[in-house]
Amino acid sequence: MAKTIEEKQYLVRYKADKKSHLTILNHEKCATECEGQICTLFCPGDVYKWEGDRMFVGYEGCHECGSCRIGCPNDNIKWEYPLGGHGIVFRLA
Amino acid sequence: MPEKFDVIVVGAGPAGAACANVCAKNGLKVLLIERGEYPGSKNVMGGILYRKQTEEIVPEFWKEAPIERPVVEQRFWLLEKESMVSMGYKGKEWAQEPYNNFTVLRAQFDQWFAKKAVEQGALLINETVVLECIVEGGKVVGVRTDRPDGDIYADVVVLADGVNSLLAKSLGFHKEFKPDQVALCAMEVLNMPKGKINDRFGLEGNEGCSVEIFGDATQGQLGTAFLYTNKDSINIGVGTTLSGMIRAKVKPYELLEYVKNHPMIRPYIHDGEPAEYLAHLIPEGGYYAIPKLTGNGVLVIGDAAQLVNAIHREGSNMAMSSGKMAAEAIIKAKQNNDFSEVGLDSYRTSIYDSFIGKDLKKYKDLTHTFEANPQYLNEYIPLMNRAASQFFTIDGTPKREKQAKIMQSFTAGRGKLGVVKDMYQAWKVMK
């Protein structure tokens, strides 16, 4: 069984672009104005990682669900679609 | 002079493909634009497809569409930590034409469904993102894509770009959705031999079963889990409002693991082989969240228009219906050569006059009431489990005493008046 998020993410096919489609607008804000960096909790692809004092965005594993754009309390994530044909490729449901 | 179409549809999911199909069938020149590698490659749903609205686009589609199983049994489980109250209906009439609904795998179904629009004459281009609508003189006249020289023009642009409708938002048709207007769902597809699925769910041949799961599956947050049988696999998923997920500080994939390991659920799925992990947002804002639906030269359909009935897990059917209604309005507008907001307005009135508008209006306050009153999930479902346990346990207590005890347990927490209030409130938002 795929128990961990790493194991789950291995089940998914990605065609990652070289350029990120997710951008933290103001890194300072994540550190000072966000309690608990909640995007690191609810992101289903575990894209956001808080390392020390900076947010790292592993856009390559993004499910393009939009949760981070809507859920970020500071509207601090610029969310775009990956370029045509790039990003996640679901094969089943 | 760049090429001009009658209609450009953005997004080749059920809404967009249905709209493109009906437009093309009626002789319009249609371009269907999909950002994924193929239609369905960006789409996720639990997996239940309703027959009626699909049939209105492609008659007798089940004879050729890649469906998994017709659903003959629909179960509801009210879950507690180590128990459940189970209800449901199973009927052999659902195993026969014209069927009630089906389990499907979207990546396969959507490709087929878009192909049917192509067969009617629509032009499908994949791997193309629409960056913005081209607006001239207050009217949408085309789209700007991420292709070189990517401007394309049309009389009408239909936005079927899903829950993350950046296009409708950029036109000012709605503000950004709020965390309580969307549900975040995580699911897995688990491969399992057909015989094992049939044994575990009590099915024969290609019959399917769907299970909606309430209560402990979402750890008290407003939402549901589900279990659907495909041919050789099972879809298992769980979703709560994004606001609920944030409040509970629970990770969606950990909630999914919790559901998979729940003692009432585990026996059905254990040793299933994980085949895919998927996450998606469901637009569950309901009636109040429906954006502006028509503008000059533009219409919004499907998930992009928040047309989802979360209570009855309906979405793809509303998407297809809204696509059809949009197409009918466009055909009328073409006849009158009036693609203004007024000329396209019959789409808006069709939506609100149809089952879509009526059903969403019926439940307009439901999500908010349940989110504001967690006792329905947190208190009543455990109470029902304890009541059922007492009722079915034979321990020498006379039945009248048992019933009295059960009634007492219901009113102990919230008081008699509280329970009556809760029941009245629930009835009011469901009626």
Side-chain angles (χ1 to χ4, degrees):
Chain A
M1 291 291 243
K3 287 196 183 73
T4 65
I5 184 60
E6 288 79 14
E7 286 170 316
K8 288 185 199 301
Q9 288 286 76
Y10 271 117
L11 301 170
V12 195
R13 200 180 129 210
Y14 297 97
K15 269 170 67 180
D17 199 353
K18 288 192 181 72
K19 185 177 164 287
S20 176
H21 62 287
L22 306 169
T23 316
I24 302 286
L25 293 171
N26 180 348
H27 275 274
E28 189 66 23
K29 263 193 179 178
C30 297
T32 56
E33 289 177 37
C34 187
E35 206 176 310
Q37 288 78 37
I38 57 174
C39 60
T40 63
L41 292 175
F42 65 70
C43 171
D46 212 14
V47 164
Y48 295 93
K49 294 223 165 69
W50 185 246
E51 288 175 13
D53 57 353
R54 195 175 165 86
M55 190 67 79
F56 286 83
V57 185
Y59 72 94
E60 296 90 343
C62 173
H63 281 237
E64 298 161 34
C65 72
S67 297
C68 57
R69 190 187 75 248
I70 296 174
C72 173
N74 298 309
D75 293 326
N76 199 26
I77 296 167
K78 185 176 167 208
W79 194 99
E80 296 164 295
Y81 286 121
L83 285 184
H86 287 88
I88 199 158
V89 187
F90 291 125
R91 295 162 292 116
L92 298 170
Chain B
M1 183 70 190
E3 199 173 3
K4 193 189 163 200
F5 290 82
D6 291 317
V7 186
I8 294 171
V9 182
V10 185
C19 184
N21 189 314
V22 178
C23 284
K25 200 186 292 178
N26 285 277
L28 298 182
K29 195 176 167 193
V30 182
L31 175 64
L32 181 57
I33 304 177
E34 165 59 42
R35 71 185 180 93
E37 198 176 306
Y38 47 81
S41 62
K42 300 288 186 183
N43 302 352
V44 184
M45 76 173 184
I48 300 293
L49 180 86
Y50 291 93
R51 184 254 310 162
K52 184 73 171 68
Q53 285 78 24
T54 315
E55 191 183 31
E56 284 170 8
I57 311 296
V58 184
E60 299 193 323
F61 66 92
W62 57 84
K63 290 185 173 160
E64 58 162 307
I67 56 150
E68 291 290 311
R69 294 173 184 241
V71 174
V72 301
E73 181 173 10
Q74 299 194 175
R75 298 183 193 173
F76 298 89
W77 292 350
L78 306 178
L79 221 56
E80 243 283 67
K81 294 258 180 260
E82 293 193 317
S83 66
M84 68 178 176
V85 174
S86 172
M87 296 178 286
Y89 175 76
K90 184 174 188 177
K92 281 285 183 186
E93 80 279 12
W94 285 349
Q96 293 156 17
E97 288 189 27
Y99 305 104
N100 182 38
N101 54 43
F102 306 90
T103 52
V104 296
L105 295 171
R106 283 287 297 273
Q108 291 163 22
F109 180 84
D110 285 14
Q111 284 188 72
W112 174 86
F113 194 58
K115 201 180 81 195
K116 299 310 284 184
V118 172
E119 283 173 16
Q120 295 295 338
L123 176 65
L124 168 69
I125 56 166
N126 293 312
E127 304 198 339
T128 306
V129 174
V130 170
L131 302 170
E132 60 180 329
C133 292
I134 303 171
V135 182
E136 284 174 9
K139 183 182 180 303
V140 173
V141 294
V143 296
R144 183 152 296 145
T145 70
D146 64 350
R147 298 233 176 178
D149 301 317
D151 290 6
I152 318 168
Y153 292 84
D155 288 327
V156 185
V157 173
V158 180
L159 306 180
D161 49 342
V163 61
N164 293 302
S165 182
L166 303 183
L167 296 174
K169 199 179 89 178
S170 72
L171 289 176
F173 280 24
H174 64 79
K175 292 203 178 70
E176 184 60 89
F177 296 131
K178 295 191 177 68
D180 63 355
Q181 291 177 319
V182 291
L184 173 54
C185 187
M187 68 179 269
E188 258 177 68
V189 181
L190 305 170
N191 285 338
M192 197 178 286
K194 186 173 186 166
K196 198 178 257 182
I197 293 174
N198 287 2
D199 288 349
R200 288 185 183 178
F201 288 86
L203 299 165
E204 283 179 330
N206 200 37
E207 297 171 352
C209 174
S210 73
V211 191
E212 310 297 325
I213 306 163
F214 305 89
D216 190 52
T218 54
Q219 298 184 345
Q221 301 308 314
L222 178 61
T224 55
F226 57 85
L227 203 54
Y228 302 147
T229 59
N230 304 314
K231 272 190 186 127
D232 308 295
S233 63
I234 290 177
N235 288 3
I236 180 159
V238 60
T240 78
T241 53
L242 181 56
S243 47
M245 206 73 85
I246 290 169
R247 197 163 38 235
K249 292 192 167 58
V250 59
K251 296 182 180 189
Y253 43 89
E254 287 174 2
L255 190 60
L256 181 60
E257 280 309 298
Y258 179 77
V259 170
K260 284 166 67 183
N261 287 304
H262 194 283
M264 295 295 116
I265 297 173
R266 194 176 52 226
Y268 290 90
I269 59 148
H270 83 90
D271 66 24
E273 184 202 337
E276 192 165 42
Y277 165 66
L278 315 91
H280 211 72
L281 281 186
I282 310 168
E284 294 195 359
Y287 192 75
Y288 297 123
I290 299 174
K292 184 172 151 69
L293 293 173
T294 54
N296 291 319
V298 63
L299 299 170
V300 189
I301 64 176
D303 272 13
Q306 281 261 354
L307 304 180
V308 168
N309 178 348
I311 309 306
H312 293 264
R313 61 163 192 209
E314 292 178 38
S316 57
N317 61 331
M318 291 185 164
M320 288 179 189
S321 275
S322 67
K324 181 167 170 273
M325 288 177 213
E328 286 160 356
I330 293 166
I331 293 159
K332 202 185 274 180
K334 174 87 179 168
Q335 284 161 359
N336 301 328
N337 197 32
D338 179 3
F339 302 102
S340 69
E341 185 171 340
V342 175
L344 291 165
D345 193 56
S346 64
Y347 167 62
R348 186 185 59 82
T349 51
S350 302
I351 289 287
Y352 281 99
D353 288 344
S354 71
F355 77 99
I356 297 176
K358 285 177 181 162
D359 285 356
L360 292 181
K361 193 172 183 183
K362 178 177 188 287
Y363 295 125
K364 63 186 189 313
D365 296 314
L366 193 134
T367 312
H368 171 74
T369 303
F370 276 76
E371 179 128 321
N373 295 276
Q375 70 268 23
Y376 291 107
L377 287 164
N378 298 345
E379 295 180 31
Y380 289 114
I381 289 177
L383 276 169
M384 284 179 74
N385 273 270
R386 262 168 272 155
S389 172
Q390 282 185 31
F391 192 76
F392 293 123
T393 304
I394 305 303
D395 57 2
T397 314
K399 298 295 183 246
R400 192 178 296 277
E401 253 175 63
K402 259 190 202 289
Q403 282 169 4
K405 247 194 213 158
I406 289 169
M407 287 313 289
Q408 268 168 18
S409 71
F410 268 84
T411 52
R414 304 188 65 78
K416 264 188 193 142
L417 193 63
V419 172
V420 171
K421 263 191 194 156
D422 284 345
M423 292 305 131
Y424 175 70
Q425 184 173 249
W427 172 76
K428 221 172 59 178
V429 295
M430 300 281 279
K431 80 169 193 300

